[in-house]
Amino acid sequence: MNRALARWLIRVVIGAVSLNVGLPCAAQAVSTLDKIKERGYIIAGSKEDCAPFGFRDKTGDIVGFDVDICRYIANKLGVELKVVPVTSAIRVTAVQNETIDISAATITHTKSRDKVIDFSITYFLDGQKFLVKKGSGIRSYRDLAGKRICTVRATTSERRAKELQPQAKVISFNSYRECFVALKNGVVDAFTTDSTILLGFKASEPDPENYEIVGKFLSEEPYGLGLLQNDSKWRDFVNNCLIEMWNKGEWLKIYNKWFGPGQKYEYSLEELDFKMSTWPLR
Ligand code: GLU
């Protein structure tokens, strides 16, 4: 019998004896927090094509705002951080089947997703907009009747684009990169998702002035970290890290690193208009 299995069995038996109940009721799953401590590293799922949240740097590593949030949590726990790429379509199931410990992948905390995984408190807030080529004449979703819009599968952006403009053809890709290429090549007239993801694509181009992010915010997209359902030990730890990060100014440091004045993805705090909902840690 391997050590992990033996330890698990001992825990189950102790749990059953202390609760004076039969084994099936007493069998408690081991918290992700304990699994991470034993393993020595957190496995985080992040985007690889959503600058500045999660994207590949020159060396091929996945870096970004979401990655730095996870790095803080890993440092707090005294473990390493391993980042694996996830797409919008797999980031929830990867948490469910425990392939990853945490999904830090621009996920909007929605009621339907919350039925199958848990979420941390909100750590970022965005809203949906459109990215178009300069001079297209498109100013809002109203101008997109009869036109083609691209977005990504299994996202809030996909659902909302269809609701807002039923007369447009919505083409859904697996990745944001493919979607942006479709806009560049004129396969679609507009690309829609959260405004800061659009900003990431625009700012990464050698000629960002050739693109425009247009219209008002069409939704609220509160980002949460996706965590295993019913694992409150891990969820509490993550939430306490986020609150501490906010209170100590560490969240702001990470924000400024990616979105701050003079940065490639500059986005003002006034525009972001976000304040983390913290609670007293004592
Ligand atoms: N945040 C939105 C969502 O969770 C859209 C962007 C994304 O794919 O992350 O569906």
Side-chain angles (χ1 to χ4, degrees), residues 81 87 131 133 136 146 163 168 186 188-189 202 207 210 226 229 247 249 264 270:
L81 177 68
T87 60
L131 180 70
K133 279 191 180 159
S136 70
E163 281 166 10
V188 298
D189 305 284
K202 177 176 167 12
D207 53 355
N210 289 346
Q229 185 92 308
N247 290 343
K264 189 169 172 183
E270 289 73 57

Side-chain angles (χ1 to χ4, degrees), residues 93-117:
T93 32
V95 171
Q96 280 181 283
N97 63 29
E98 298 178 58
T99 316
I100 57 176
D101 303 314
I102 189 163
S103 191
T106 68
I107 314 184
T108 301
H109 184 174
T110 65
K111 206 169 169 179
S112 55
R113 290 171 183 159
D114 202 279
K115 285 187 182 141
V116 291
I117 58 168

Side-chain angles (χ1 to χ4, degrees), residues 112-207:
S112 55
R113 290 171 183 159
D114 202 279
K115 285 187 182 141
V116 291
I117 58 168
D118 277 342
F119 282 89
S120 71
I121 56 170
T122 302
Y123 70 97
F124 194 86
L125 180 67
D126 202 357
Q128 186 172 349
K129 287 199 176 187
F130 286 96
L131 180 70
V132 295
K133 279 191 180 159
K134 187 143 200 161
S136 70
I138 298 164
R139 307 306 313 162
S140 95
Y141 68 89
R142 291 193 186 82
D143 303 320
L144 287 162
K147 302 234 185 309
R148 281 160 306 176
I149 304 170
C150 77
T151 187
V152 163
R153 249 171 231 122
T155 62
T156 52
S157 324
E158 180 186 41
R159 204 182 49 224
R160 193 141 187 88
K162 288 178 182 170
E163 281 166 10
L164 282 171
Q165 188 43 276
Q167 291 174 57
K169 183 169 169 47
V170 176
I171 303 170
S172 300
F173 290 96
N174 279 325
S175 71
Y176 283 101
R177 195 183 294 113
E178 289 168 286
C179 190
F180 185 60
V181 169
L183 177 72
K184 271 179 103 165
N185 295 344
V187 174
V188 298
D189 305 284
F191 166 10
T192 188
T193 190
D194 303 342
S195 77
T196 42
I197 297 179
L198 298 176
L199 169 70
F201 278 97
K202 177 176 167 12
S204 300
E205 280 300 285
D207 53 355

